[in-house]
Amino acid sequence: MSVCEKYYPSEPSKPSVVTSSIPGPESQRALQKLGQVFDARPAYFMGDYEKSLGNYLVDADGNTFLDLYAQISSIALGYNNPALIKAAQSPEMIRALVDRPALGNFPSKDLEGILSKILKFAPKGQTHIWSGLSGADANELAFKAAFMYYRSKARGYETPFSAEENKTVMENSTPGSPDLAVLSFKRAFHGRLFASGSVTCSKPIHKLDFPAFDWPHAEYPSYQYPLADNETANRTEDDRCLKIVEDIISSWPIPVAALIIEPIQSEGGDNHASKYFLQSLRDITTKHGVVYIIDEVQTGVGATGKMWCHEWAELQPPADLVTFSKKFQSAGYFFHDPKFIPNQPYRQFNTWCGDPARMIIAGAIGQEVADNKLVEQCARVGDYLFEKLEKLQSQYPDKFQNLRGKHRGTFIAWDLPSPAERDAFLKHLKLAGCNVGGCSTHSVRLRPSLTFDEKHADIFVNALTNVVSKL
Amino acid sequence: MSVCEKYYPSEPSKPSVVTSSIPGPESQRALQKLGQVFDARPAYFMGDYEKSLGNYLVDADGNTFLDLYAQISSIALGYNNPALIKAAQSPEMIRALVDRPALGNFPSKDLEGILSKILKFAPKGQTHIWSGLSGADANELAFKAAFMYYRSKARGYETPFSAEENKTVMENSTPGSPDLAVLSFKRAFHGRLFASGSVTCSKPIHKLDFPAFDWPHAEYPSYQYPLADNETANRTEDDRCLKIVEDIISSWPIPVAALIIEPIQSEGGDNHASKYFLQSLRDITTKHGVVYIIDEVQTGVGATGKMWCHEWAELQPPADLVTFSKKFQSAGYFFHDPKFIPNQPYRQFNTWCGDPARMIIAGAIGQEVADNKLVEQCARVGDYLFEKLEKLQSQYPDKFQNLRGKHRGTFIAWDLPSPAERDAFLKHLKLAGCNVGGCSTHSVRLRPSLTFDEKHADIFVNALTNVVSKL
């Protein structure tokens, strides 16, 4: 019995679209009403989560979609997973929801146990955790850790703050509020708050009209595909980008305290970084005393065929900080060097210090992923699916440009010739019963749940073939 | 029957401290273990939330505290409230926890209903809502709304972005990433991320070593108490501070797009702003085209004897944006002008757009507050308690300096002569079974749940009398 059959014995056997357009009339009516109090314009349709099951997302009109987008890559185990329902009904969950503690000041007796269940799945080498509430929050908390660490190396970990630092910080000026930068990459997405927004660099719409820090963006490699046929060109591309990184670190007018990178840039177009590139960044950051932050918000928790995507790079020594959110539902960062714990309490602190309700869900997700070998399943299903996509690519090379994500689980993407064709493609796929997301301006990204298996891949490839043959 | 008796028929009748020091041995042991994976240094003790009930917080050693801190002002209805337990066990909650939607792209069918239950309790005049995850997040989302609104007035709401804006924003430079400021106040606390950190100005430890925006801090009035005896001096103080606000708006090198203020500065020392001051800020911000943001993260949801503290000021016209979090468990901002909805979708957007699980809790809290007239109860109990504190003040004037919060519900504070005496005072109160928080460097702040009633006030005043007489 497959994992999916075990979880979802009554999962639909195929998608079913009953309206002639999407959103259908009931979604439209409900979205119009929602729009009176909330910005509902980005909605594709209104979800009916009570009726959704496993890999199938049902909408308010009764359309049943095979879901390869999974709430922007955030549903790990499918809809209405029985193990998560059990966690949601546990006494610990009731406490977490009803008596939400200020975890820094009055931690709950069970907090250590809850965190340990998440830490069990931390990337290799990472031993500590700090909790936040979203991917953007996780990244900004990691920046705070990085800035404190960077300044403590210069000042001395035990050295008290100077009178001048204590005075100037209250005026938002140096040296108390130092000019320090986080280096990121063009096409990166790390969130939409003000520091996370300053490192995000994929689309103007994310950040127009917001003040930003004067932080630099290096170039992220653009590989030629298939990788196996372009090794020399891609290595040259890596070296070109690495030189830019090192040049910026050496020359940017503001000291670069940290570097943040997605092992695969997701929102920015499913741009992959090679093992060589990620290890070289480790070497460069070590050499220059820059904190190395890996953003696993979208790539983490199994979808690339490893629990954490950057584990493919086998970094030595490990990254300094690794951030997570999305498929773990909870958010935060992992680290291994105890010196990332600030030299005084209350420096990394806030009222809630994370959400225990979401932490409990994260632990339950991790346990299910491990018990059911879902990372291994995702690697297997991804290879199966990729092979079929390669066949489609050979038939329709124009509609499957730069097919990428081979041996990276179901974390697969390709390009269409133009944004308009990509948008039409995704629309036709929805009408064919497959909910699929885009990224960048003209890419298609696959982000199914880890319970997606070969039979779902077959259904998807079948729909894809029908759609592409008619385009 | 009192509300508390209805909710908590088996609430303890009094505090009980069974260890000779706090944290007790079991808390210490557990905190030491937690400290191996998490920064547990700020913890006062380890909470046992299963055993906590109503206004009483039980710790891992079995100490039972009357809780006047309520998880840093975040527990609205006491511990293990039966109505919230019911909400936590509802089918909607299971869905929200297990199938967390990306609410912007795939909102759940019940989202409009969930949000309406929160909006029902919005400050007068506010008709829309946008959701976040914490107080800091709520404030930063409000800043984003303010910056977009401010720039859209200059550019024209329908005017497209220029090619130069679209280009420069990807370099974090003007005009795409404009230099715009948020004006806040000295001693303010609005959160600890990077933009919220730049408007926070209460203690160096919150923000040392973090880059900050070059944003200004005006002076928040410091009143003389009792207010009734110092009307002229306090009006002069208001006018002095208002002049500084207007001078900064006119002269700060970066245009001031928004002003943010707590109606009572909480972390910064329970500094109150008069009705005159808050209305004058409305007049000044209207005159200068500055967005007026009221931060009700700590003051909101009933504790001052109004649902929202700034309702005491009866602002005309209403504030532009009002942020909330803490006692509503959920977070976000309210607004009334539809032009605060950005001119394009995906400008105010992120993966989750809030947490439906916490929204459900917020709606249930609001309903209980309304059904049980808890705001009115809090006003009544606050007056009862304040009168007793005035008596203590007349006996021990040195230990109850600047007693403040008269007719502001249980949102009461006073000063001790020094930080050391304040810290000792809070420690002795804990040993006497009362969990009370401090603010600023030498103030005591009372933040009980809304279920705190006269009998709890009597117990507290009795403990206080014992402690103060021995100091």
Side-chain angles (χ1 to χ4, degrees), chain A residues 82-139:
Chain A
L84 293 194
I85 291 175
K86 206 174 151 200
Q89 292 173 323
S90 65
E92 306 84 65
M93 181 62 84
I94 306 296
R95 298 287 89 71
L97 286 170
V98 171
D99 307 319
R100 184 177 188 175
L103 291 174
N105 275 165
F106 305 99
S108 51
K109 264 173 69 175
D110 55 3
L111 179 60
E112 195 268 331
I114 292 172
L115 290 171
S116 296
K117 283 181 191 153
I118 302 177
L119 263 171
K120 202 154 74 170
F121 303 101
K124 284 187 190 73
Q126 310 295 0
T127 50
H128 291 64
I129 186 169
W130 186 250
S131 283
L133 297 168
S134 69
D137 192 37
N139 285 333

Side-chain angles (χ1 to χ4, degrees), chain A residues 432-453:
Chain A
C434 295
N435 185 44
V436 179
C439 58
S440 181
T441 53
H442 58 293
S443 307
V444 172
R445 61 173 149 173
L446 306 187
R447 296 290 185 274
S449 142
L450 302 177
T451 57
F452 191 87
D453 68 21

Side-chain angles (χ1 to χ4, degrees), chain B residues 53-130:
Chain B
L53 191 68
N55 296 275
Y56 287 88
L57 169 57
V58 177
D59 77 6
D61 289 279
N63 294 311
T64 302
F65 301 97
L66 180 64
D67 193 7
L68 290 98
Y69 200 23
Q71 309 301 323
I72 320 183
S73 199
S74 296
I75 298 287
L77 305 178
Y79 295 101
N80 287 309
N81 183 279
L84 293 194
I85 291 174
K86 208 173 149 198
Q89 291 173 325
S90 66
E92 306 84 68
M93 180 62 84
I94 305 296
R95 298 287 89 72
L97 286 170
V98 171
D99 306 320
R100 184 177 189 174
L103 291 173
N105 276 164
F106 306 98
S108 51
K109 264 173 70 176
D110 55 3
L111 179 60
E112 195 269 333
I114 292 172
L115 289 171
S116 296
K117 284 180 191 154
I118 303 177
L119 263 171
K120 203 155 74 173
F121 302 102
K124 284 185 190 73
Q126 310 295 1
T127 51
H128 291 64
I129 186 170
W130 186 250

Side-chain angles (χ1 to χ4, degrees), chain A residues 49 80 99 106 155 192 209, chain B residues 49 80 99 106 155 349:
Chain A
Y49 296 100
N80 287 309
D99 307 319
F106 305 99
R155 183 194 289 115
R192 293 159 164 265
D209 290 346
Chain B
Y49 296 101
N80 287 309
D99 306 320
F106 306 98
R155 182 194 290 116
F349 184 82

